[in-house]
Amino acid sequence: MARNVLEMEGSVSAPMDGPVRFGAAPGMVAPSVRPRRIVFATLVGSSILALTALLAVTLSSNGISLGEGAMILCFVATLPWTVIGFWNAVIGLCLMRLARDPIAAVCPIAGPDARAPLISSTAILSCIRNEDVDQVLTNLEAMIADLMRSGEGRAFHLYILSDTNDDAIAAREEAAFADLAARWQAEFPVTYRRREDNFAFKSGNIRDFCDRWGHLHTYALVLDADSFMAASTVLDLVRRMEANPRLGILQSLVVGLPTASAFARVFQYGMRLGMRSYTLGSAWWQGDCGPYWGHNAVIRLQPFIDACHLPVLPGKGPLSGPILSHDQVEAVLMRRAGYDVRVLPVETESFEENPPHLLEFIRRDLRWCQGNLQYLKLLNLKNLKLTSRIQLILAILMFVSSPAWLVFMVLAATLAVMGGDEVLQFHRTTGFALFVTIMVMVFAPKIATVIDILADRKLRTRFGGALRVVTSTLGEMIYSALLAPIMAVAESIFIAGLPFGRAVGWGAQSRQPHGLPFRLTASKLWPQTLFGLTGIVWTASQSWSLVWPLLPIVAGPLLAIPFALITSRRDVGAAALASSLWRVPEEVSVPASLMPLRLEALKDAEGAYKPELARADA
């Protein structure tokens, strides 16, 4: 047998009203986003020109040499994401503080009747590969129990789609999910299917579901192995899909689960700060061409099946074959088919887990890097919307900017060593202004959200108070300043290795916090350390006025090994929890839906809440 299939409930029931087919997407009244896109493009374009001119003026003391011209080109390549993030944050802050209904201003879709029963069938797709079976089981059972309590459980069917290639884990999966199916057999259908052929990994896994069972359901709720969504969030998304026939993909903001990992705790606090203002601003101009993050989203199945079949990229090497970063490609194909892809830029009970330590974070990032660079072979896709094509280009630039930044730094150092002030001269005043401007732009999404939190008493309370917010934000900015150059070095080395066949596999992800061993950490992060040491040697030979802006860039790589070791330790994670810094709203007021997960970061709150337990304990 090519595949090992275990269909636990014995049969799959058709949805109550039968499969729903779609032809041309019906119209939906919404304000035109074209003027917004013109305004946004003007802001971004003029900002890039102004910053480029400022650098040119800074370097023009004795004319622009060939090396300085190359520096300017590298600088331009790093600007799009920085400038777009800044203007997204500015627009997002204006909406948060001035708009009567910020969500409606950027996502003008019909609101659902929360009391109306669901009339469609939704498949819940849990995509797993060599995961901690107990943790996946806990999350899924908690979701089932929450949906059953809502009274709408009959409208859902859980599919556990396994790509596990470890036989011991597969045996545990089969036993655990057979037991799950037996416990819920009369009320909530559960299907477990394991592929032995893991072609195209997650996207291939979902395509296999579409071929087998997609015609039985109207929607699919796509989950990662670490996903958890409360019933209230799931029902709201599905009802919005039912109320808006033109919606192809819909998701809300996804936030990190409370964690005992020091590394993940600080990271996802920073993500929480930057995400709301950034996503509000981006939704303002992207409109119906929104992004898709690949999980915690509801998909309209028929147009997805018909229009979002991913191509296998031609050629050989890491950028060929199945598309790894499938989500954004599926989004642009869904939009090409005439259906909207939208984000509700609001924090709901839609959760994920973030990597618990630096090495796992780098591994995940490099898989995204390889997947995004595959988009180079997709830029000639026909009939894409202009905004969709720009999104693919920006996804590429997200990672191309890292080697561009690194080359910029190496060129500056080389010019200084070769000829000192005679070769590399710059105006200190404009140089300082450029440095401050770039730093403000980099941190703008976080600053914008912090301003909104501090201006709103309820938000301040949810995040633990103004003093805690300010202190945590300053700590997170230091953390980000150390992390960014570490990641840039890792991405640059990886991209340099792509022509020689370097690639990232799709193995099991580490999700639990644990201390990293020194030898492994040093073997992975020695390039960053070497970069940092080289930078320190170079700065020691230069005048202080020249090198002080570069010290944060050198410090992160230099400290990469101790940074990874310290932030992976359990006792450091416990200390971060005890400090109450980087606290997220779910720790201040714990949602009842999270209590069955028994998260270590929430263990002190268990006695204060008594939510209903999973059906097996009821």
Side-chain angles (χ1 to χ4, degrees):
M1 289 181 61
R3 302 175 189 269
N4 175 25
V5 180
L6 178 62
E7 298 181 11
M8 294 183 169
E9 80 294 346
S11 63
V12 181
S13 300
M16 294 167 289
D17 53 308
V20 178
R21 301 285 179 176
F22 293 91
M28 182 174 63
V29 177
S32 172
V33 293
R34 178 174 293 181
R36 296 181 179 184
R37 289 171 180 166
I38 293 173
V39 169
F40 190 80
T42 302
L43 292 172
V44 170
S46 59
S47 298
I48 290 176
L49 287 174
L51 291 169
T52 304
L54 190 58
L55 177 62
V57 169
T58 300
L59 296 176
S60 64
S61 294
N62 57 347
I64 302 294
S65 67
L66 184 62
E68 289 170 330
M71 287 176 61
I72 293 173
L73 290 177
C74 291
F75 178 73
V76 172
T78 69
L79 286 179
W81 273 97
T82 301
V83 173
I84 288 172
F86 171 75
W87 286 113
N88 281 346
V90 171
I91 294 168
L93 178 60
C94 291
L95 290 169
M96 288 188 291
R97 300 312 311 160
L98 302 177
R100 177 173 298 178
D101 188 345
I103 308 304
V106 301
C107 191
I109 60 176
D113 181 354
R115 298 168 298 178
L118 297 181
I119 59 173
S120 57
S121 175
T122 299
I124 300 175
L125 312 183
S126 177
C127 303
I128 62 176
R129 178 176 170 83
N130 299 323
E131 298 289 345
D132 181 331
V133 178
D134 291 338
Q135 186 60 57
V136 174
L137 180 65
T138 297
N139 287 13
L140 292 178
E141 183 131 37
M143 285 187 64
I144 292 173
D146 206 18
L147 285 168
M148 291 303 298
R149 285 193 295 270
S150 74
E152 294 289 353
R154 62 187 176 81
F156 295 88
H157 184 137
L158 172 62
Y159 293 85
I160 302 158
L161 308 178
S162 173
D163 265 351
T164 293
N165 60 358
D166 183 306
D167 290 339
I169 297 176
R172 292 199 294 274
E173 286 179 3
E174 293 188 8
F177 298 130
D179 184 57
L180 178 69
R183 288 200 302 275
W184 293 96
Q185 59 182 344
E187 301 166 280
F188 201 108
V190 174
T191 298
Y192 168 81
R193 187 274 289 125
R194 178 188 170 214
R195 292 196 308 167
E196 290 183 351
D197 175 10
N198 300 152
F199 178 76
F201 298 110
K202 183 180 174 182
S203 62
N205 203 353
I206 294 175
R207 176 56 54 176
D208 180 80
F209 158 82
C210 291
D211 293 342
R212 291 168 176 258
W213 301 294
H215 65 286
L216 299 174
H217 305 282
T218 310
Y219 309 115
L221 172 66
V222 181
L223 303 176
D224 273 352
D226 57 10
S227 296
F228 176 80
M229 298 177 70
S232 58
T233 301
V234 174
L235 296 177
D236 180 69
L237 292 177
V238 173
R239 286 189 172 112
R240 289 178 185 272
M241 293 290 283
E242 290 184 339
N244 298 273
R246 187 177 170 179
L247 275 177
I249 301 175
L250 180 65
Q251 61 204 318
S252 60
L253 296 182
V254 184
V255 299
L257 280 167
T259 177
S261 160
F263 179 87
R265 181 177 179 83
V266 184
F267 171 78
Q268 59 195 40
Y269 179 83
M271 284 291 293
R272 192 71 169 260
L273 291 184
M275 185 170 51
R276 189 153 54 92
S277 64
Y278 184 98
T279 310
L280 266 172
S282 64
W284 180 82
W285 63 272
Q286 288 181 348
D288 50 17
C289 287
Y292 168 42
W293 299 315
H295 58 93
N296 294 41
V298 178
I299 293 172
R300 193 177 299 275
L301 272 172
Q302 197 55 55
F304 183 84
I305 293 170
D306 293 341
C308 298
H309 205 302
L310 299 181
V312 177
L313 301 178
K316 297 181 179 180
L319 301 186
S320 302
I323 298 171
L324 296 180
S325 295
H326 59 93
D327 39 21
Q328 190 56 47
V329 183
E330 290 163 345
V332 302
L333 293 178
M334 180 69 81
R335 189 69 197 96
R336 184 175 71 173
Y339 289 82
D340 291 359
V341 178
R342 289 190 179 270
V343 176
L344 280 170
V346 60
E347 294 173 1
T348 59
E349 292 183 46
S350 179
F351 299 98
E352 65 175 344
E353 286 184 293
N354 285 296
H357 55 75
L358 178 59
L359 297 189
E360 183 63 30
F361 186 81
I362 290 175
R363 189 162 74 102
R364 185 185 72 169
D365 186 73
L366 296 185
R367 189 174 70 240
W368 289 348
C369 176
Q370 181 179 337
N372 281 25
L373 293 181
Q374 288 181 303
Y375 296 171
L376 288 165
K377 295 188 175 185
L378 297 173
L379 294 179
N380 62 347
L381 282 175
K382 295 180 179 179
N383 301 320
L384 293 186
K385 302 288 185 181
L386 176 60
T387 301
S388 297
R389 205 175 296 278
I390 290 172
Q391 286 169 327
L392 293 179
I393 295 172
L394 289 174
I396 296 168
L397 288 177
M398 178 190 298
F399 291 100
V400 170
S401 62
S402 289
W405 170 85
L406 203 63
V407 171
F408 176 89
M409 300 297 298
V410 170
L411 282 172
T414 302
L415 292 175
V417 169
M418 287 175 55
D421 291 342
E422 295 181 2
V423 175
L424 181 65
Q425 294 185 12
F426 64 92
H427 293 288
R428 286 174 171 78
T429 301
T430 55
F432 178 77
L434 182 62
F435 174 79
V436 172
T437 302
I438 292 295
M439 288 299 99
V440 170
M441 285 186 160
V442 166
F443 290 109
K446 297 171 185 177
I447 294 170
T449 303
V450 168
I451 291 172
D452 186 54
I453 292 172
L454 295 178
D456 188 306
R457 182 178 59 82
K458 291 183 178 179
L459 278 176
R460 290 198 305 272
T461 301
R462 290 186 65 209
F463 279 88
L467 179 60
R468 186 174 285 110
V469 168
V470 172
T471 305
S472 298
T473 301
L474 292 175
E476 192 280 332
M477 287 182 171
I478 295 172
Y479 167 98
S480 295
L482 294 173
L483 181 61
I486 294 173
M487 299 306 300
V489 173
E491 292 162 1
S492 300
I493 294 173
F494 178 76
I495 291 173
L498 286 174
F500 304 99
R502 185 176 182 183
V504 173
W506 199 297
Q509 297 185 49
S510 172
R511 303 194 189 277
Q512 299 302 318
H514 58 81
L516 288 172
F518 174 81
R519 181 174 295 181
L520 174 65
T521 305
S523 70
K524 298 293 186 181
L525 298 178
W526 69 264
Q528 283 85 349
T529 304
L530 180 60
F531 178 87
L533 286 172
T534 304
I536 288 294
V537 171
W538 177 78
T539 56
S541 65
Q542 306 298 318
S543 65
W544 173 252
S545 61
L546 176 68
V547 303
W548 69 265
L550 306 179
L551 290 180
I553 297 170
V554 172
L558 181 66
L559 299 174
I561 293 174
F563 177 81
L565 293 173
I566 291 171
T567 55
S568 73
R569 291 176 58 94
R570 286 184 176 272
D571 55 353
V572 175
L577 278 173
S579 73
S580 76
L581 294 174
W582 308 292
R583 179 174 285 180
V584 293
E586 290 76 28
E587 295 176 55
V588 176
S589 178
V590 184
S593 62
L594 288 185
M595 297 310 297
L597 304 190
R598 298 294 186 262
L599 297 170
E600 186 177 348
L602 299 179
K603 62 183 179 181
D604 294 334
E606 285 190 16
Y609 295 86
K610 295 181 180 180
E612 293 182 48
L613 301 178
R615 181 188 179 284
D617 299 325

